[in-house]
Amino acid sequence: MELSSERVLSPLKMSQTASQGGQPAPGDGDYETLPPHVSVTTHMTAGAVAGVLEHSVMYPVDSVKTRMQSLQPDPNAQYRGVYEALRRIIRTEGLLRPLRGLNITMMGAGPAHALYFACYERLKHSLSDVIKSGGNSHLANGVAGSVATVLHDAVMNPAEVVKQRMQMYKSPYRGLWDCVRTMTRVEGAGAFYRSYSTQLTMNIPFQAVHFITYETMQEWLNPQRHYHPGTHIVSGAAAGAISAAVTTPLDVCKTLLNTQENVALTSVNISGHLSGMANAFRTVYQLGGVPAFFKGVRARVIYQMPSTAIAWSVYEFFKYFLTKQEARPAGRNAK
């Protein structure tokens, strides 16, 4: 269902313009072209809601992806596909097992995505003004997405580490706080950021491709930049699928650094804890060659397509809704 279309908006705009002596009503037109009017709080609220929904709706598929990226999986945790994996996990480990770690993910996703979207929107508009006199600039989109990722990952990385350890087959942790306490005691606080450099190395190109693809699709499908749910869903899905596929090798390395998969590390005579992107790349290649870098690629794309579509459609809806709410007092004051 489209909440706005040219057929519906045109008569409304004409009547509002006529009633106000030819002056457009506050809040009319393209909500995305009102950065001075849209507060940082609006972007942060919309981003937080979008982030929580993005990570929670498709979370069971994310759990499967983590297991499928295991380099030396237990024989009982070797899966042929996403659907078969979900069915086996539920049958052998319980209905709620695919949701293990969801709590820490939601705790991290809200603030991480609030910073992420607020930073992206502000920086995108500022850079576009400099680079292209306010027009859409792919360079501005890519740079803004990359900078926003640094803030996002600083908040989200500890949650990702705990989440992936709890998702693994036969995870030794009883729950969230047991995992946090055990990691802190045994490996130190640095364990929560052991994969941060790899996460950034993966997410900066991921988000650059993601935002450039999304904005390009919007130029094609929604050049007027009105609120149009269908275009946000399609653009978000395409952006998620493409960026997920091209960055899968880095995601495999990140998973290895986060989970510190004991069986895999022992098989290549690594004692202690694996750290560093270069070491992770070398270890992945030793264990499975080039194909190992694409373990779980299908699950990753299946997870990212709807997740990113959900994130963008929810974010754009809340941005639209909150912008209109903020415009109402201005409209009343103008009268």
Side-chain angles (χ1 to χ4, degrees):
M1 277 196 332
E2 297 175 7
L3 298 185
S4 79
S5 68
E6 289 301 319
R7 194 178 301 174
V8 175
L9 285 178
S10 295
L12 287 175
K13 289 179 182 177
M14 288 172 64
S15 63
Q16 288 169 340
T17 301
S19 67
Q20 295 182 21
Q23 296 299 316
D28 266 0
D30 178 6
Y31 71 100
E32 288 194 1
T33 62
L34 299 171
H37 168 73
V38 181
S39 68
V40 174
T41 305
T42 296
H43 291 306
M44 294 187 80
T45 304
V49 174
V52 169
L53 287 175
E54 173 191 354
H55 284 278
S56 58
V57 171
M58 294 299 293
Y59 188 82
V61 179
D62 185 57
S63 294
V64 170
K65 182 217 63 161
T66 296
R67 292 196 181 192
M68 292 182 80
Q69 287 181 338
S70 174
L71 297 169
Q72 294 280 321
D74 185 285
N76 293 321
Q78 293 180 350
Y79 311 109
R80 293 190 301 273
V82 176
Y83 177 68
E84 186 257 347
L86 272 174
R87 196 172 55 190
R88 275 178 55 192
I89 292 169
I90 291 170
R91 189 178 70 247
T92 60
E93 301 175 50
L95 181 64
L96 298 180
R97 186 67 180 194
L99 299 178
R100 202 160 191 261
L102 177 60
N103 49 2
I104 185 64
T105 302
M106 294 178 70
M107 288 166 62
H113 278 71
L115 288 172
Y116 174 73
F117 278 109
C119 175
Y120 171 70
E121 292 285 358
R122 289 298 177 183
L123 200 53
K124 178 183 76 171
H125 286 298
S126 299
L127 291 174
S128 292
D129 287 341
V130 173
I131 297 170
K132 220 171 180 179
S133 302
N136 184 44
S137 164
H138 294 317
L139 177 60
N141 299 334
V143 172
S146 299
V147 174
T149 298
V150 175
L151 291 176
H152 170 275
D153 286 358
V155 176
M156 197 65 191
N157 203 83
E160 278 284 318
V161 175
V162 174
K163 175 200 78 172
Q164 289 200 298
R165 295 220 178 181
M166 294 182 69
Q167 286 175 332
M168 293 297 285
Y169 180 69
K170 289 187 176 178
S171 172
Y173 308 106
R174 293 190 302 274
L176 164 61
W177 298 115
D178 177 52
C179 181
V180 172
R181 281 194 300 267
T182 304
M183 285 183 62
T184 304
R185 185 179 69 251
V186 176
E187 302 175 47
F192 295 101
Y193 282 94
R194 189 178 285 129
S195 64
Y196 185 52
S197 60
T198 303
Q199 182 100 337
L200 283 179
T201 305
M202 175 185 74
N203 277 347
I204 287 176
F206 176 95
Q207 297 301 350
V209 172
H210 169 196
F211 281 114
I212 289 170
T213 304
Y214 181 81
E215 297 290 353
T216 301
M217 293 286 290
Q218 283 292 288
E219 283 183 357
W220 293 345
L221 301 175
N222 188 19
Q224 300 304 314
R225 295 305 180 101
H226 292 301
Y227 173 65
H228 195 302
T231 68
H232 301 313
I233 291 170
V234 172
S235 300
I242 293 169
S243 14
V246 300
T247 56
T248 295
L250 289 162
D251 192 52
V252 172
C253 294
K254 181 208 76 174
T255 297
L256 179 60
L257 289 170
N258 280 348
T259 59
Q260 296 291 307
E261 198 180 335
N262 288 328
V263 175
L265 298 183
T266 302
S267 69
V268 288
N269 300 317
I270 294 177
S271 58
H273 304 296
L274 183 70
S275 62
M277 185 178 64
N279 289 331
F281 259 94
R282 193 161 42 245
T283 304
V284 171
Y285 185 76
Q286 280 182 276
L287 287 165
V290 173
F293 289 102
F294 292 92
K295 287 176 75 72
V297 63
R298 185 180 300 176
R300 180 165 160 78
V301 170
I302 290 172
Y303 167 73
Q304 284 293 343
M305 277 188 73
S307 294
T308 312
I310 290 166
W312 275 112
S313 57
V314 170
Y315 174 67
E316 297 287 3
F317 167 74
F318 271 90
K319 191 169 70 170
Y320 172 81
F321 175 77
L322 294 170
T323 298
K324 294 301 181 185
Q325 292 295 108
E326 288 182 4
R328 284 179 183 173
R332 286 196 292 268
N333 293 337
K335 294 176 184 177

